[in-house]
Each structure stands twice: as C-alpha cells, then as structure tokens.
Amino acid sequence: NIVDATRIKGANITGTPANGNVLKYNAGANEWDMLALSGATPITYSGGSIGVITGTTAGTVAWGDDYRFKTAQVVRGKVTEAGEGEYTNPRDALDSISDAAVDKPYVVLVGPGVYVCSEMVIPSYVCVRGYAQSAVIIKPKGNDYTLFTMSDDSAIADVTLEGLFGSTDRAIVVDSTQRSTIRNVTMYNFDTLVEVKGRHALCETTIAECLCRGKAVRHIAVDSTGAADRVFANITDCRFIGDGSETYSVHVEGPQSIVAIRGAIIDSIQGGFGIYIVNGSQVNISGSKITDCKTGILVDSPDDPPVVRIDSTTLLINSDRDLLVKHKNAVGAFKGVANKDMVEIDDNADFIADYM
C-alpha cells in the first residue's frame, strides 16, 4: 500500500529488472511488477536508470534525456584570480569549448571588468553572457578587427563592446545559416556595429534591447547580396544615437533581405540617415520614432524595387526629408506622424502615405 508521497509499505517487486522494463503497481496483488515497455511508451529503462525518449511532446516530458531539459555547461571568465575552469579572457574561455552541441550547450559567463581581446568566434550552441551590460566592457586589441563572429545557434548578451574605430572594424558579424541572438548589448566606436551576412541559404538573426551609438558608417547592416535564399533580421526595442556624422543607423540591402524593425528610437543628431533601404529588400517598420536625422527613411535602389511598410511610426525634425522614396517602382505604405512638406515620393511608386 502507498502510505504517502514518500513512503511505500508492504510492496514486493516481482521479476528481475531488465532493459526496457519499468515498475508498475499491481493493486490486486498488492505488489510492484516489472512491466515491459511498448514502442509507443515515452519511458525507457537501461542500466538501472529511467529516461525519456527524445522527441516526446512537452506535455508528456517531465524528466529524462530530452535535450530541452539539458543544463548548460558553464565556463567562467574573470579579470584576475582565475581558478580551476576559469579564464582571464573571454577568448580563452571560448577556445576551451570543443564539444558544444544541441544536447550540450555552453554559457560563457563574463565577470565585471575591462577585457582587451583578439578576434573571437562564438561556436554553435554557445552563449556569451556578461555579469551586467555596464560592468563588462570588451575591446579589440587593434584596428581592423571583427571582435565577435557568431555561428549557428549562438548568442551574446549583457555586455558592452567598445571599438577603436578602425577603417574596417566590426563589433559583431553574424555568419550563420540558422538562428543567432544579440540581446542587451551596448556597441560603439566601430565602423560597423552589427553586420548580418547573407552568404548562406538561410540566416535568422534577432537583435533586441541594444544600444548602438557614436560614430559609425553603419550601426546595423543586413546584406543578402549573393545569398542563396532569404535573410531574416528582427530588430526589436533598440536605440540608435549618432554623433552628427553621416551614419546609417539601419542599412538594409537586398535582394533577399527581410527585416522587421519594432520599437526603434533613432536620433542621428542631424547628420545621418535613420533607415536606408535598397535593392529589393522587404522592410516592415512599426512603433518606432526617427528624429533629428538628415533623412528619416530613404527608399532607394538602382535595381530591384524595395517593399516597405511603415506603421505607427513618428518621423519628425529631420533636416532634409522625413521620408524619401526615390525608386519609381517601390511598393509600400506609410501610416504615422510626419511633416507632409518633408515627405517626397516618386510619382510612379505604388506607395501610399496616411498621416495620423
């Protein structure tokens, strides 16, 4: 009889434990019997351990060998007094990982401090996470560096990346065919802060809650030129602050780029372009505010016409144009707040403006 949740009374186990068997209580005989499992049963027994067949649904899985329940391996980085399994440089911590996999993910936890690093690659199934965004500052050793290159299913979060503003340096290059995530990262003083390359068949990147500021040619660049298939980027709740120079806060180039921009705040301090869209790109902008730029949104292309939809977005106090649609075959619509005198749309473009 089962007395309570932690104690079993008067129960005898019949049969010999074997692979493929589990225990089942036989109420009529007041005993526990060995029960052979069928192929449809999500429970396994092997070597004295009970497990769960990988691929069972979230409703049936509670514990076992499903990768969704795996605990990430932790590698720690700290500026001084590194102990066993710890490193004084994020690059050394990343280089120590050789067996990351979907069922063995890693997290590199970076403690407070300033780190000067050589170029780094974040392997697949690895996340670099700082103690706090303002407390972890990572710098390149020299100019013309790509500080981080991101692989498939990699992530970086809660750090500040400070460049030396070399001629071709980049804070982060996403070189992935699958998903990559950049979250809560401050970036400044690089030629390009984030470059999402479209050289592979499929690239899906999320950039969220980031601060992109200072002098740069491009804050975020999404480029699918030469891609075999579409390149996706989700830019959510990010803030862009220029320094008065001719910076492109978001630069999207097709022909296969698809970008969603939500909740962005862009302020280029009268010098740069808010969002620049060219060559067949598809861009959806919603719930954003673009002010104090040379041109708020520029839709241009010498080749394929872009498709642009702008909703619930404010375009104000831009020195040249709030919205400039130059491609004669561009397709799209604007619905938001803007100065009509600062909006210019090619007469042949299939583009509708609805001022709120």
Side-chain angles (χ1 to χ4, degrees):
N1 297 318
I2 300 177
V3 178
D4 54 39
T6 60
R7 207 156 48 91
I8 298 175
K9 181 179 179 183
N12 297 316
I13 298 176
T14 64
T16 301
N19 291 346
N21 292 340
V22 294
L23 294 174
K24 179 181 180 182
Y25 181 64
N26 184 335
N30 189 29
E31 66 183 17
W32 290 81
D33 299 331
M34 298 307 301
L35 176 67
L37 296 178
S38 68
T41 307
I43 304 296
T44 63
Y45 178 86
S46 179
S49 298
I50 295 177
V52 179
I53 296 173
T54 301
T56 51
T57 66
T60 61
V61 172
W63 174 88
D65 61 356
D66 193 293
Y67 75 89
R68 290 169 290 180
F69 293 84
K70 293 294 183 182
T71 300
Q73 312 296 307
V74 177
V75 179
R76 299 182 186 276
K78 56 197 302 188
V79 176
T80 59
E81 299 179 0
E84 184 177 354
E86 297 178 335
Y87 300 87
T88 57
N89 191 294
R91 172 165 180 164
D92 294 337
L94 288 167
D95 288 347
S96 73
I97 300 170
S98 60
D99 58 348
V102 65
D103 59 349
K104 193 177 182 181
Y106 277 79
V107 176
V108 175
L109 295 179
V110 185
V114 178
Y115 301 84
V116 180
C117 302
S118 300
E119 294 180 309
M120 291 170 279
V121 175
I122 305 178
S124 297
Y125 311 113
V126 175
C127 172
V128 174
R129 177 171 294 167
Y131 173 81
Q133 184 191 62
S134 60
V136 178
I137 300 173
I138 304 175
K139 302 180 179 183
K141 278 189 174 181
N143 287 324
D144 301 329
Y145 268 49
T146 294
L147 192 54
F148 285 99
T149 298
M150 301 184 67
S151 307
D152 298 347
D153 292 296
S154 62
I156 184 169
D158 305 326
V159 298
T160 292
L161 307 181
E162 179 183 341
L164 304 175
F165 199 74
S167 59
T168 59
D169 57 351
R170 288 153 171 73
I172 299 172
V173 169
V174 180
D175 192 7
S176 168
T177 63
Q178 298 181 32
R179 295 180 180 88
S180 298
T181 301
I182 303 165
R183 186 178 298 277
N184 195 34
V185 176
T186 292
M187 297 166 277
Y188 59 96
N189 286 355
F190 291 86
D191 175 83
T192 300
L193 301 184
V194 178
E195 181 179 2
V196 181
K197 289 187 174 182
R199 65 172 63 179
H200 299 295
L202 178 65
C203 176
E204 182 177 345
T205 301
T206 296
I207 304 169
E209 302 167 18
C210 292
L211 172 60
C212 304
R213 63 181 178 88
K215 185 178 181 181
V217 175
R218 301 174 301 178
H219 283 152
I220 295 178
V222 181
D223 183 4
S224 69
T225 55
D229 209 334
R230 294 186 175 119
V231 176
F232 297 91
N234 296 306
I235 302 171
T236 305
D237 297 331
C238 291
R239 187 173 184 186
F240 304 84
I241 302 175
D243 69 341
S245 59
E246 196 163 292
T247 294
Y248 297 95
S249 290
V250 181
H251 183 285
V252 183
E253 186 164 359
Q256 301 283 9
S257 295
I258 301 178
V259 179
I261 302 171
R262 304 179 183 90
I265 298 176
I266 299 176
D267 185 348
S268 289
I269 313 180
Q270 298 184 357
F273 297 85
I275 301 173
Y276 177 67
I277 304 162
V278 65
N279 285 352
S281 305
Q282 297 184 41
V283 181
N284 293 328
I285 305 166
S286 63
S288 298
K289 184 177 182 180
I290 304 173
T291 62
D292 210 12
C293 300
K294 182 178 180 180
T295 300
I297 299 175
L298 172 59
V299 182
D300 191 15
S301 175
D303 299 313
D304 299 329
V307 178
V308 183
R309 293 179 175 85
I310 308 164
D311 187 43
S312 302
T313 291
T314 297
L315 308 173
L316 283 177
I317 323 176
N318 298 298
S319 61
D320 188 6
R321 292 285 188 275
D322 285 346
L323 172 63
L324 177 57
V325 180
K326 296 179 67 176
H327 195 289
K328 64 180 182 180
N329 294 320
V331 177
F334 165 78
K335 185 176 183 179
V337 177
N339 185 337
K340 291 184 180 181
D341 295 335
M342 300 287 280
V343 174
E344 181 180 338
I345 301 173
D346 188 284
D347 292 338
N348 295 312
D350 185 8
F351 209 98
I352 301 172
D354 181 6
Y355 302 94
M356 298 174 63

